[in-house]
Amino acid sequence: MYNEPMLKENALKGKTILVTGGGTGLGKSMGKYFLQLGANLVIASRKLDVLQKTADELMAETGGKVLALACDVRNYEDVEKVIQAIEDNFGSLDVLLNNAAGNFISPTERLNSKGFDTIIDIVLRGTYNFTLAAGKNWITKKQKGTMLNIVTTYAWTGSAYVVPSACAKAGVLALTRSLAVEWAKYGIRSNAIAPGPFPTKGAWDRLFPAELQEKLDITKKVPLGRVGEHQELANLAAYLVSDYSSYVNGEVVTIDGGEWLKGAGEMNNLEVIPNEMWDVLEMAIRGANKKG
Ligand code: HXC
Ligand code: NAP
């Protein structure tokens, strides 16, 4: 049930949606669902061969229209060209989904400054580049627009071993909340999704390589005991870019099975205590209460 499509047929009909990094992973899954709901899809990233293969596959599967555009999100000229190409092909853009990202695990002291720059530039600069280009375009043309940014839960907790990504995602969250207020007067909504673990090749190769998977079972970190299914994320994203969420603005929706809160609650690790030991503990605590 939870991995079935959720929105009404044609819920995104007539909308043109740009998904950065839409050739692979979660961007591809969200894009596919947008097409199934009647949207036109534009996918943009560095590898045109990967994008074109995805575009052909999704068009064949859904019968929708997909435009694949080569673009490095770090380069503002590339970004402006994407916006122009969308206007030339579809008339206008309705939804910007900032999904492209770069990341890898590393002790911070092993990074050189280029490593930091690489991640911050893809995630934060890439997001503000597209936000600025699309936003200016909408404002000039007096056209409404919707922005959705993919962050992650360590945007607000921070996280060891992915420090450039944590800094960049925190910046994206600040951008989301700031513009939700500033640009609402132009009819532009800004929201974010913070996913927990959703298996993709891109993320798993760089964050959970096989050597690490042998030592860590990621499902043990999640109270619901499983990773996310792509359709679950696609359902949430489709809602947030659709007109059904017209009054949702400045929100970040977490979809992580309770993972980040499990790490945060002071006593959450007591789940390791077996039931019989609770009898012993209760007696000890009641005994201590009596002694005063
Ligand atoms: C230390 C490293 C490194 C490593 C790269 N660098 N890999 N430093 N350890 N393992 C540093 C070095 O300084 C290097 O320069 C610099 O990064 C640039 O590396 P390149 O490989 O030349 O960069 P580039 O080709 O631009 O590739 C960018 C990339 C790569 C980020 C490094 O991994 C990539 O293309 N990623 C895109 C997809 C991706 O990352 N997807 C996962 C998103 S998952 P020098 O000159 O020193 O070599 C995600 C999930 C979050 O965000 C939450 C999960 C729960
Ligand atoms: P992915 O498949 O590796 O997707 C990342 C995409 O970003 C790729 O398609 C890549 O395409 C593109 N990209 C990277 N650098 C770029 C650049 N400079 N310019 C343009 N595009 C660029 O990984 P994913 O897991 O689906 O991640 C998608 C999003 O979800 C990211 O924002 C990630 O932080 C977020 N997220 C993922 C998880 C998870 O568990 N998977 C959890 C939380 C958040 P090219 O290589 O062609 O450029």
Side-chain angles (χ1 to χ4, degrees), residues 19-30 44-51 69-75 78 97-103 118 121-123 126-127 130 149-154 165 169 193-204 206-208 218 227-228 230 233 255 259:
V19 180
T20 67
T24 64
L26 302 181
K28 179 177 174 184
S29 298
M30 291 186 281
S45 73
R46 295 165 301 177
K47 298 181 190 124
L48 189 56
D49 53 335
V50 174
L51 291 170
L69 297 169
C71 160
D72 189 325
V73 295
R74 295 171 279 197
N75 180 334
D78 279 12
L97 200 173
N98 283 303
N99 164 80
N103 201 359
T118 301
D121 282 353
I122 300 171
V123 177
T127 301
F130 262 110
N149 298 324
I150 306 299
V151 295
T152 187
T153 53
Y154 59 61
S165 172
K169 293 286 192 187
I193 296 178
F198 283 75
T200 64
K201 181 166 169 31
W204 259 232
R206 295 170 177 94
L207 303 177
F208 310 110
I218 188 133
V227 293
H230 285 207
L233 180 72
I255 178 164
E259 185 196 31

